Amino acid sequence: KAGVTQTPRYLIKTRGQQVTLSCSPISGHRSVSWYQQTPGQGLQFLFEYFSETQRNKGNFPGRFSGRQFSNSRSEMNVSTLELGDSALYLCASRLPGTVTDTQYFGPGTRLTVL
Amino acid sequence: AQSVTQLGSHVSVSEGALVLLRCNYSSSVPPYLFWYVQYPNQGLQLLLKYTTGATLVKGINGFEAEFKKSETSFHLTKPSAHMSDAAEYFCAVSGLTQGGSEKLVFGKGTKLTVNP
């Protein structure tokens, strides 16, 4: 079974621009979560989507948003980019309510904001 | 609220030596506990997890961890280090919300170096 895939793997943007990152979960997984990883703050939870609905959100400004499609693929959008948004963005998928319910992570998208 | 403290941001061991990475957690609900490993320029790979039941959890690549509720600890061990174990290791805690959502709270990570 294919793992979690994220596109693009690398992205360079300038301040003020917006960016959209994509995540395709493991086949059959209906929950997708997003995390931000930076050297200073470490790994921080952004939000979780399940069946196209956001059901949990971390402590990030409204510039960070996401959505999930009917095929469980998810996108994350960051508007008005700031230098501090430079990070590795990881998504994870899971199949809630099963014996194997665990978050499986993708390789990440490395975003650099200049 | 939940939190994780990993003692030691860097740990160095010799090949063949015992690996011990320390993790203490705080949780107001029965915790689910995890260890993930991250190799350079890669995502996180699950090593093992504890939910309920047996407190000694065996994972992949010869790693294991023991849940000690009285000490609020979940330390990761491996009897004999291999060069390929060099990576960054993250301990995480979660607890399911009423809606079934799961949010992982991570420690700051421990970078393991294995010397030949």
Side-chain angles (χ1 to χ4, degrees), chain A residues 28-99:
Chain A
H29 285 196
R30 296 171 61 197
S31 163
V32 174
S33 295
W34 289 88
Y35 294 82
Q36 181 195 64
Q37 185 177 24
T38 60
Q41 299 299 316
L43 282 151
Q44 294 184 287
F45 172 79
L46 280 155
F47 28 64
E48 179 189 8
Y49 285 86
F50 179 78
S51 292
E52 302 178 63
T53 301
Q54 186 185 92
R55 63 176 184 178
N56 203 352
K57 190 177 190 308
N59 189 26
F60 279 82
R63 300 185 298 106
F64 292 81
S65 63
R67 59 178 176 169
Q68 186 180 34
F69 301 94
S70 58
N71 62 358
S72 294
R73 189 177 70 86
S74 177
E75 288 182 348
M76 191 192 94
N77 185 77
V78 188
S79 62
T80 318
L81 284 166
E82 300 177 359
L83 295 179
D85 298 333
S86 293
L88 181 66
Y89 290 89
L90 295 163
C91 84
S93 75
R94 60 188 270 254
L95 185 58
T98 64
V99 174

Side-chain angles (χ1 to χ4, degrees), chain A residues 9-10 33 35 37 40-43 45 48 55-56 88 90 94 99-103 105-107, chain B residues 34 36 38 41-46 49 88 90 96-97 99-108:
Chain A
R9 291 292 311 277
Y10 301 90
S33 295
Y35 294 82
Q37 185 177 24
Q41 299 299 316
L43 282 151
F45 172 79
E48 179 189 8
R55 63 176 184 178
N56 203 352
L88 181 66
L90 295 163
R94 60 188 270 254
V99 174
T100 56
D101 182 2
T102 298
Q103 292 194 33
F105 284 79
Chain B
F34 308 79
Y36 284 88
Q38 186 176 36
N41 299 316
Q42 294 188 27
L44 301 174
Q45 180 183 8
L46 179 71
K49 72 172 184 178
E88 190 158 19
F90 293 91
L96 290 180
T97 67
S101 173
E102 181 183 77
K103 164 188 164 182
L104 292 172
V105 175
F106 288 90
K108 293 291 189 184

Side-chain angles (χ1 to χ4, degrees), chain A residues 7-8 11 13 18-22 67 75-78 109:
Chain A
T7 56
L11 209 46
K13 293 286 187 179
Q18 75 165 22
V19 67
T20 299
L21 313 181
S22 180
R67 59 178 176 169
E75 288 182 348
M76 191 192 94
N77 185 77
V78 188
T109 294

